[in-house]
Amino acid sequence: MSPRATIRGTHTLDEILSQPRCWRECLKVLAGQIPAVRGKFAEPAEALFVGCGSSHYIAQAAASGWTHLTGFPARAVPASELLLFPELVLPNSHTRRPILISRSGHTSEVLKAAQFLELERNIRTLAVSCSTHQPLMEISTDSLLLTAADEQSMVMTRSFTSMLLGLELLAASVGERTADAESLARLADRTEPLFEGLRARVEEFIATHEFADYVFLAQGPFFGVASEAMLKVKEMSCSYAQCFHTLEFRHGPRAIAGPETLVTFFLSEAGREAETEVLEEVKGLGAVTFVIANRADAAVRRAADFLVEWELDLPEFVRPAAFVVAAQVLGFYTGIKKGFDPDQPRNLSRVVILNDKV
C-alpha cells in the first residue's frame, strides 16, 4: 500500500477494500428483514426509487435490476424532482410503491419526499438506510436497515454497493427468483480475492498518467454505476468528469476525446458488439481507455489501455456492484495524486441538511 494512502484517505480506502465482507453481513441481515416487506410489492405496480446524489445513482441501478427480476416497471428520480414537479413524477393515481434511499436517513430532500408521499399523498413508502436513530425510518411505513454498511468517510463506497445489492435481493424475493438470490450471495466470495490486485494496478496506472477530463460510458444495467463512478472521481479528486450512455458518446461528446481524456467503459454482454465499436472509435481518436468487463475478447483487449476483467460466473444484473469498485479506486488514487484527502472532500459534508425553503 502506498505510504501516502496511509496518511490521507485511510477510512475511504479501508471501506472500499472491506466491501466483500460488508456484502456478506448485509445480505445475511436483510434475509431476515425482507420477508416482512416483500408482500407489499406483490401487486404489479411501478416501483419508484428515490434518492439524492449517490443514492439517486443507486436508484438508477436498482430500478434496472428491479424490472429484470420482478417483471414490473420501475423508475428512478431525484428527490428534488418529486418535490418540485410532483405532477410529472406522480401524474395519475396508479398504485406505486416508493423506495426512499439515504445512507444517513437525515438527507433533507429525502425526508421531505417521505413526508410528501406518506402525509400528503397517503402513499406508503419503504426506507433503505445504513444508520440507526434517524428520522427517515420514523416517517416511512417500512424499512430495511444495513448498519454494517455505514461509513466513517464522507464519500459513499461500501454503502452504495451494499444498498444496491440489498435492493436486488428484495427484487429477487419479490420475483421469487431463488437462484438469483443465491447468485447475489456468491458475489463476495467471487470478488474478494481480486480486490488487492485491482487496487495495486489502479494505483500504478494513476501514478504514470495525467488526465484533464474523465468520461464514463455504460448502457442498461451499468448506467447507474457509471453515473456513480463519475461522481466518485469528482468528489475524491475534484476532477472534471461526465457520464453518457455509451452510444450517445458519438453524438457530440466525442469532440472532447484526446490524449488527456480518460474514457472508462462499463461493458455489458447484451450490448457488447455495439459498445466495443464505440471503444475502438474512442481509442482511434487518441483518448486513453479504461475498460471494465466481465470477460474481454481480442477486440476489447486491443482497444483497452487498462483492462479490469472480473470473470464472474454470475448473472449480469449481479455485476454492477463489483464493476463500480474499480472506479472507486480510480477516484481515490486520483485524489491522492492531486494532493486531496478523499476522507475530507472539498466543499462537501457527509449529510446534506437544508433549511425549510426547499
Side-chain angles (χ1 to χ4, degrees):
M1 185 180 299
S2 167
R4 298 170 67 190
T6 64
I7 299 171
R8 289 176 280 119
T10 301
H11 293 313
T12 302
L13 185 59
D14 286 347
E15 287 156 3
I16 291 171
L17 298 179
S18 74
Q19 286 177 102
R21 173 184 57 76
C22 184
W23 298 342
R24 291 189 194 96
E25 293 179 20
C26 288
L27 292 179
K28 181 178 179 180
V29 168
L30 287 173
Q33 296 181 19
I34 284 175
V37 302
R38 67 178 300 275
K40 309 289 181 69
F41 296 91
E43 297 298 322
E46 180 185 65
L48 183 66
F49 293 86
V50 180
C52 299
S54 287
S55 294
H56 173 48
Y57 300 141
I58 295 173
Q60 289 181 341
S64 175
W66 188 273
T67 299
H68 172 75
L69 290 165
T70 68
F72 299 161
R75 274 193 301 155
V77 298
S80 57
E81 194 76 356
L82 175 62
L83 295 171
L84 298 177
F85 298 96
E87 72 280 3
L88 298 180
V89 178
L90 303 169
N92 51 49
S93 59
H94 290 317
T95 302
R96 289 178 178 81
R97 183 62 167 167
I99 299 172
L100 308 179
I101 307 165
S102 171
R103 172 179 65 175
S104 67
H106 287 272
T107 306
S108 291
E109 290 155 77
V110 176
L111 293 178
K112 291 177 183 295
Q115 291 168 340
F116 170 75
L117 292 166
E118 290 273 0
L119 304 179
E120 294 186 33
R121 290 297 181 93
N122 196 32
I123 298 174
R124 304 284 77 84
T125 64
L126 171 68
V128 180
S129 185
C130 301
S131 299
T132 57
H133 309 298
Q134 36 98 345
L136 179 60
M137 293 178 64
E138 296 175 3
I139 300 169
S140 297
T141 301
D142 297 299
S143 62
L144 296 176
L145 182 61
L146 296 77
T147 54
D150 206 1
E151 294 144 331
Q152 290 182 268
S153 60
M154 197 174 296
V155 174
M156 289 176 64
T157 54
R158 71 185 184 194
S159 61
F160 179 95
T161 54
S162 296
M163 286 193 282
L164 173 57
L165 291 172
L167 287 167
E168 290 174 335
L169 184 64
L170 173 61
S173 179
V174 171
E176 298 182 343
R177 306 277 291 257
T178 303
D180 288 319
E182 293 171 351
S183 294
L184 287 163
R186 292 199 299 273
L187 182 65
D189 289 342
R190 297 292 191 274
T191 58
E192 190 167 33
L194 306 178
F195 267 53
E196 177 54 30
L198 173 63
R199 183 209 62 77
R201 289 181 60 220
V202 173
E203 181 182 22
E204 181 180 6
F205 175 76
I206 293 302
T208 55
H209 290 80
E210 298 285 345
F211 302 110
D213 300 296
Y214 296 79
V215 177
F216 296 89
L217 304 179
Q219 299 273 166
F222 296 104
F223 186 73
V225 295
S227 299
E228 171 66 1
M230 168 196 67
L231 185 60
K232 292 307 97 172
V233 168
K234 285 183 177 179
E235 290 177 325
M236 289 194 269
S237 73
C238 296
S239 300
Y240 185 68
Q242 302 178 78
C243 179
F244 304 97
H245 288 87
T246 305
L247 272 63
E248 286 297 300
F249 192 69
R250 289 171 166 151
H251 301 278
R254 73 197 300 268
I256 71 170
E260 293 186 344
T261 307
L262 179 65
V263 184
T264 298
F265 288 79
F266 292 79
L267 293 186
S268 68
E269 289 185 349
R272 175 181 293 275
E273 183 176 351
E275 292 167 29
T276 300
E277 289 177 0
V278 179
L279 169 62
E280 292 171 326
E281 292 170 16
V282 169
K283 179 65 175 175
L285 293 171
V288 180
T289 55
F290 189 109
V291 178
I292 305 168
N294 195 47
R295 291 184 176 85
D297 59 19
V300 171
R301 292 180 185 280
R302 285 193 300 268
D305 293 301
F306 188 95
L307 175 63
V308 178
E309 198 172 11
W310 284 103
E311 297 186 287
L312 299 173
D313 57 341
L314 299 171
E316 188 157 66
F317 86 91
V318 178
R319 300 173 196 161
F323 275 33
V324 78
V325 172
Q328 293 172 346
V329 180
L330 172 66
F332 177 84
Y333 281 112
T334 301
I336 292 293
K337 182 175 182 178
K338 293 176 68 173
F340 293 108
D341 182 357
D343 283 351
Q344 298 292 330
R346 191 175 69 187
N347 300 332
L348 300 181
S349 60
R350 192 174 187 275
V351 182
V352 176
I353 298 177
L354 306 174
N355 58 36
D356 291 335
K357 293 180 180 180
V358 176

